[in-house]
Amino acid sequence: MDATPSAHHTSIHASEASENIRNKLALLPDRPGCYLMKNGEGTIIYVGKAKVLKNRVRSYFNGSHNGKTQRLVSEIRDFEYIVTASNMEALILECNLIKQHHPRYNVLLKDDKSFPYLKITNEEHPRLEVTRRVLKDKAKYFGPYPNAFAAQQTKKLLDRLYPLRKCRTLPDKVCLYYHLGQCLAPCEFPVPAEENERMAGEIARFLNGGHGDIKRELHRKMEEAAEELAFERAREYRDQIMAIEALMEKQSITVVDAMDRDVFGYAVDKGWMCVQILYMRQGKMIQRHVSQFPFYGEPYEDFLTFVTQYYSDNPALPREILLPDAPSDEIDSGAAAASAEAVEAAGAGSADASVAGVEAGDAPLAGADVADAAEEDADVSAEPDGQAADFGESLRRWLHIKVAFPKRGAKHKMVSMACENSKQALEEKFRLIERDQDRSVRAAEGLAEAIGVPSARRIEAFDNSNTQGANPVSAMVVFTDGKPDRKEYRKYNVRTVQGPDDYETMREVIRRRYERVLKEGLELPDLIVVDGGKGQIAAAVDILVNELGLDVPVCGLAKDEKHRTAQLLVGDPPEEVPLARDSQEFYLLQRIQDEVHRFAITFHREKRAKSMIASRLDAIPGIGEKRRKQLLKHFGSLKAIKEAKVEDFRAVSIGEALAKRILDALNDEADGAEAAAKPAELAETQTDS
């Protein structure tokens, strides 16, 4: 399949989609290529690559998944694949397809894609400026800087030290910069080319880490001026020295060498990932960059995707990159095999990479040059295995710089610090959410006013979860006065719906919930929130009005292409209610949507894990439902059963022969997943089975 993927948009029935997927899985080739996952409308929602298409694509539909991958899989109704001649072609094609389609489930570098640089223009009278575009214009670029403030502060200092021209177009007479001593005024006075070259060279030396030499030269000039009793000039040199120290020397972290390096760390929590980059320049940490975003796949795989896109969009390179190694529980995952080469795809479409301080468009350093320039780090252990090793090798080939996964020593401490800071940033994000609940009452009142209902004091929200129709569940959370009321949460095992039918699942759960409310005389909500758009709203309203005779306002929360809360839909037919993205009302809706999704996913994972354990125990002759429950209740998990001794089974009235049969059956399954079976009840919730 070498044609461009079809853009045909058709609604695919769930049962037909499942059968179609099964047939396609059987025909997958044992070759490299790209695959494109589509939803029911034919929209491409995920693009991936694989060394072996057959193994990678099948992994989505076989076995269990962690994190939000379940969400992705639940929306897949079809897929296409494109066979390539090599892994490199697959990587290039994947990069192009992601840029073309912007799939909602691919990790994208959404914030600060264009970083600021300092630029010395290639003109007769050069200028120093801050820019976010790196062009092939023979100018010299330095950076990237973590933020515009850092770049502007550096430029402000250099303007005081080196009076290059400031005006884009030469004026007719001198300007204020000349009188401030920050411009030689080439508009009115002749400036020798040698002087311009000298200042440009000094700026380049400064930005390439030579500020120490420049500071020593200023010290010498200051002392000479003081000896000549030129105290005004000496004070000016002193102020320049102090400015350099304030900008370049106040660092909390230093290393022995003076190599420029980027240190990466990441952490994940509640479906969010935080990546922190520590910028080490001349052996000192000068700044850091923080990105937070939701992720949908395997954490380490998505982290590597972020690194790939970061260097695709930011061409100025350090001499070394430090990355955390893959967590031990992800090294052998099925998903890991497909993402090791992530970097080269971006390499095909990126700007010409250039080491900070060389002219844009020049070739990057060759691998041998880098090896000579940077001595091997004694803190770094042998190359990592598996996914990280493959990724590191690809990154080296693409960027021609050193890539390391330190496991001990000073560099490992830097990576650990970046990871710990990422963890702290996520914890702070969620703690702030809890503290913001003090304003939740006003947010609930404002939401009611925006929707046009008398009150939104009690809000009940619903979300569904399944994996290709397997183990379907739904969940309800309750917010009272804008705060989660966890004792009111409910979980539902879906009974009547076959396959991943979100609309029918919503109808069943709404019916069951409010039939019980009417039967038991429970409190009705002021507002019902469903996770979805017009279809989910219509399903809920149909049950409430036509079957139960209830008049309760229903609204839907639709997501944008980046899977973020985007629209509040209300009414019949549903229409968008505009809310400011930075308003407390919109923030309340985000919290509701995140909480109900978290609760539904947690229940779904629990049910799926129990289902897997039950099927494995039920396959053992002599184990029925009663004994299975006894075993799980006594031992607590499948892993504990496998590790038990024969005599341990006497406590549940199982003899030696059956105990040996159980242990042999479980331990003979070489590739069986050891899933923990936790107690059936959650302390904070109840289940409406």
Coordinates of all heavy atoms in Angstrom, one line a residue, residues 436-472:
D436 N -7.7 25.4 44.7 CA -8.6 26.3 44.0 C -10.0 25.9 44.3 O -10.9 26.7 43.8 CB -8.3 26.2 42.5 CG -7.1 27.0 42.0 OD1 -6.7 27.8 42.8 OD2 -6.7 26.8 40.9
Q437 N -10.3 24.8 44.9 CA -11.7 24.5 45.3 C -12.3 25.5 46.2 O -13.5 25.5 46.4 CB -11.7 23.1 45.9 CG -11.4 22.0 44.8 CD -11.4 20.6 45.4 OE1 -11.6 20.4 46.6 NE2 -11.0 19.6 44.6
D438 N -11.5 26.3 46.8 CA -12.1 27.4 47.7 C -13.0 28.3 46.9 O -13.9 28.9 47.4 CB -11.0 28.2 48.4 CG -10.2 27.4 49.3 OD1 -10.7 26.3 49.8 OD2 -9.1 27.7 49.6
R439 N -12.7 28.4 45.6 CA -13.5 29.3 44.7 C -14.5 28.5 43.9 O -15.1 29.0 43.0 CB -12.6 30.0 43.7 CG -11.7 31.0 44.4 CD -10.7 31.7 43.5 NE -9.7 30.8 43.1 CZ -8.7 31.2 42.3 NH1 -8.6 32.4 41.7 NH2 -7.7 30.3 41.9
S440 N -14.7 27.2 44.2 CA -15.5 26.3 43.4 C -17.0 26.7 43.5 O -17.7 26.5 42.5 CB -15.4 24.9 43.9 OG -14.1 24.4 43.6
V441 N -17.4 27.2 44.7 CA -18.9 27.6 44.8 C -19.2 28.7 43.8 O -20.2 28.6 43.1 CB -19.2 28.0 46.2 CG1 -20.6 28.6 46.3 CG2 -19.0 26.9 47.2
R442 N -18.3 29.7 43.7 CA -18.6 30.8 42.8 C -18.5 30.2 41.3 O -19.3 30.7 40.5 CB -17.6 31.9 43.0 CG -17.8 32.7 44.3 CD -17.0 34.0 44.2 NE -15.6 33.8 44.1 CZ -14.7 33.5 45.1 NH1 -15.2 33.5 46.3 NH2 -13.5 33.4 44.9
A443 N -17.6 29.3 41.1 CA -17.6 28.7 39.7 C -18.8 28.0 39.4 O -19.3 28.1 38.2 CB -16.4 27.8 39.7
A444 N -19.4 27.2 40.3 CA -20.7 26.5 40.1 C -21.8 27.5 39.8 O -22.6 27.3 38.9 CB -21.0 25.6 41.3
E445 N -21.8 28.6 40.6 CA -22.9 29.6 40.3 C -22.7 30.2 39.0 O -23.7 30.5 38.3 CB -22.8 30.6 41.5 CG -23.2 30.1 42.8 CD -22.9 31.1 43.9 OE1 -22.3 32.1 43.6 OE2 -23.4 30.9 45.1
G446 N -21.5 30.5 38.6 CA -21.2 31.1 37.3 C -21.6 30.2 36.2 O -22.0 30.6 35.1
L447 N -21.3 28.9 36.4 CA -21.6 27.9 35.3 C -23.2 27.8 35.1 O -23.6 27.8 34.0 CB -21.1 26.5 35.7 CG -21.3 25.4 34.8 CD1 -20.7 25.7 33.4 CD2 -20.8 24.1 35.3
A448 N -23.9 27.8 36.2 CA -25.4 27.8 36.1 C -25.9 29.0 35.4 O -26.8 28.9 34.5 CB -26.0 27.8 37.5
E449 N -25.3 30.2 35.6 CA -25.7 31.4 34.9 C -25.4 31.3 33.5 O -26.2 31.7 32.6 CB -25.0 32.6 35.6 CG -25.4 33.9 35.0 CD -24.7 35.1 35.7 OE1 -24.1 34.9 36.7 OE2 -24.8 36.2 35.1
A450 N -24.2 30.8 33.1 CA -23.8 30.7 31.7 C -24.7 29.8 30.9 O -25.0 30.0 29.8 CB -22.3 30.2 31.6
I451 N -25.1 28.7 31.6 CA -26.0 27.7 30.9 C -27.4 28.2 30.9 O -28.2 27.8 30.0 CB -25.9 26.3 31.6 CG1 -24.4 25.8 31.5 CG2 -26.9 25.3 31.1 CD1 -24.2 24.5 32.2
G452 N -27.8 29.0 31.9 CA -29.2 29.4 31.9 C -30.1 28.5 32.7 O -31.3 28.3 32.4
V453 N -29.5 27.9 33.8 CA -30.3 27.0 34.7 C -30.3 27.7 36.1 O -29.4 28.5 36.4 CB -29.7 25.6 34.7 CG1 -29.8 25.0 33.4 CG2 -28.3 25.6 35.2
P454 N -31.3 27.4 36.9 CA -31.4 28.0 38.2 C -30.2 27.7 39.1 O -29.8 28.6 39.9 CB -32.7 27.4 38.8 CG -33.5 26.9 37.6 CD -32.5 26.5 36.6
S455 N -29.7 26.5 39.0 CA -28.6 26.2 39.9 C -27.8 25.1 39.3 O -28.2 24.3 38.5 CB -29.2 25.7 41.3 OG -28.2 25.2 42.1
A456 N -26.5 25.0 39.8 CA -25.6 23.9 39.4 C -24.9 23.4 40.7 O -23.7 23.1 40.7 CB -24.6 24.3 38.4
R457 N -25.7 23.4 41.8 CA -25.1 23.1 43.1 C -24.7 21.6 43.1 O -23.6 21.2 43.5 CB -26.1 23.3 44.2 CG -25.5 23.1 45.6 CD -26.5 23.2 46.7 NE -27.4 22.0 46.6 CZ -27.0 20.8 47.2 NH1 -25.9 20.7 47.8 NH2 -27.8 19.8 47.1
R458 N -25.5 20.7 42.5 CA -25.2 19.3 42.5 C -25.1 18.9 41.0 O -26.0 19.0 40.2 CB -26.3 18.4 43.1 CG -26.0 16.9 43.1 CD -27.1 16.1 43.7 NE -26.9 14.7 43.5 CZ -26.3 13.9 44.4 NH1 -25.8 14.4 45.5 NH2 -26.1 12.6 44.1
I459 N -23.9 18.5 40.6 CA -23.6 18.1 39.2 C -23.2 16.6 39.2 O -22.4 16.1 40.0 CB -22.5 18.9 38.6 CG1 -22.8 20.4 38.6 CG2 -22.2 18.4 37.2 CD1 -21.7 21.3 38.2
E460 N -23.9 15.8 38.3 CA -23.6 14.4 38.1 C -23.0 14.2 36.7 O -23.6 14.6 35.8 CB -24.8 13.5 38.4 CG -25.3 13.6 39.8 CD -26.4 12.6 40.1 OE1 -26.9 11.9 39.2 OE2 -26.9 12.6 41.3
A461 N -21.8 13.6 36.6 CA -21.1 13.5 35.4 C -20.9 12.0 35.1 O -20.6 11.2 36.0 CB -19.8 14.3 35.4
F462 N -21.0 11.7 33.8 CA -20.8 10.3 33.3 C -19.8 10.1 32.2 O -19.6 11.0 31.4 CB -22.2 9.8 32.7 CG -23.3 9.7 33.7 CD1 -24.0 10.8 34.0 CD2 -23.6 8.5 34.4 CE1 -25.1 10.8 35.0 CE2 -24.7 8.5 35.3 CZ -25.4 9.6 35.6
D463 N -19.1 9.0 32.3 CA -18.1 8.6 31.2 C -18.1 7.1 31.1 O -18.3 6.4 32.0 CB -16.7 9.2 31.6 CG -15.7 9.1 30.4 OD1 -16.2 8.9 29.3 OD2 -14.5 9.2 30.6
N464 N -17.8 6.7 29.8 CA -17.8 5.2 29.5 C -16.3 4.8 29.2 O -15.5 5.6 28.7 CB -18.7 4.9 28.3 CG -20.1 5.4 28.5 OD1 -20.6 5.3 29.6 ND2 -20.7 5.9 27.5
S465 N -16.0 3.5 29.4 CA -14.7 3.0 29.1 C -14.8 1.6 28.7 O -15.5 0.8 29.3 CB -13.8 3.2 30.3 OG -12.5 2.7 30.0
N466 N -14.1 1.2 27.6 CA -14.0 -0.2 27.2 C -12.8 -0.3 26.3 O -12.2 0.7 25.9 CB -15.3 -0.6 26.5 CG -15.5 0.1 25.2 OD1 -14.8 -0.2 24.2 ND2 -16.3 1.1 25.2
T467 N -12.4 -1.5 26.0 CA -11.3 -1.8 25.1 C -11.9 -2.6 23.9 O -12.1 -3.8 24.1 CB -10.2 -2.6 25.8 OG1 -9.7 -1.8 26.9 CG2 -9.0 -2.8 24.8
Q468 N -12.1 -1.9 22.8 CA -12.8 -2.6 21.6 C -14.0 -3.4 22.0 O -14.3 -4.5 21.6 CB -11.8 -3.5 21.0 CG -10.8 -2.8 20.1 CD -11.4 -2.1 18.9 OE1 -11.6 -0.9 18.9 NE2 -11.8 -2.8 17.9
G469 N -14.8 -2.8 22.9 CA -16.0 -3.4 23.4 C -15.9 -4.4 24.5 O -16.9 -4.9 25.1
A470 N -14.6 -4.8 24.9 CA -14.4 -5.7 25.9 C -14.5 -5.0 27.3 O -14.0 -3.9 27.4 CB -13.1 -6.4 25.7
N471 N -15.0 -5.7 28.3 CA -15.1 -5.2 29.6 C -15.7 -3.8 29.7 O -15.1 -2.9 30.3 CB -13.7 -5.2 30.3 CG -13.1 -6.6 30.4 OD1 -13.8 -7.5 30.8 ND2 -11.8 -6.7 30.0
P472 N -16.8 -3.6 29.1 CA -17.4 -2.2 29.1 C -17.9 -1.8 30.5 O -18.5 -2.6 31.2 CB -18.6 -2.3 28.1 CG -19.0 -3.8 28.2 CD -17.7 -4.5 28.4

